[in-house]
Amino acid sequence: MSTAHDDRVLVVIPARWASSRFPGKALADLGGEPLVVRTARNAARMTTADRVVVATDDERILEAVVAAGLEAVLT
């Protein structure tokens, strides 16, 4: 058993396209940028966050996040 402690912080932001209440909400415009991009940028401002990743099920969300210079993965 390892006793090493890793203090790095990974923030994962889930962003689904087909939510039942507001499909496409992640790409809704909020102050001139998609909601998911604004959320990821705000998370990246946290002094404790070493890495911020948007986890999405949709290529449109992935493309918007990557185009904003942020990290995203297709799940």
Side-chain angles (χ1 to χ4, degrees):
M1 175 191 307
S2 173
T3 59
H5 184 67
D6 189 348
D7 290 335
R8 292 179 295 167
V9 175
L10 169 65
V11 176
V12 179
I13 300 168
R16 287 189 28 195
W17 176 263
S19 74
S20 58
R21 291 181 291 163
F22 188 170
K25 177 180 179 179
L27 293 183
D29 185 278
L30 184 62
E33 65 185 351
L35 174 63
V36 68
V37 169
R38 178 173 285 234
T39 302
R41 286 191 200 285
N42 285 338
R45 286 190 196 109
M46 295 187 320
T47 58
T48 55
D50 295 304
R51 182 176 172 201
V52 176
V53 178
V54 174
T56 184
D57 64 345
D58 191 88
E59 289 281 342
R60 292 166 287 194
I61 296 171
L62 178 87
E63 290 171 8
V65 172
V66 171
L70 302 165
E71 185 177 357
V73 295
L74 197 59
T75 61

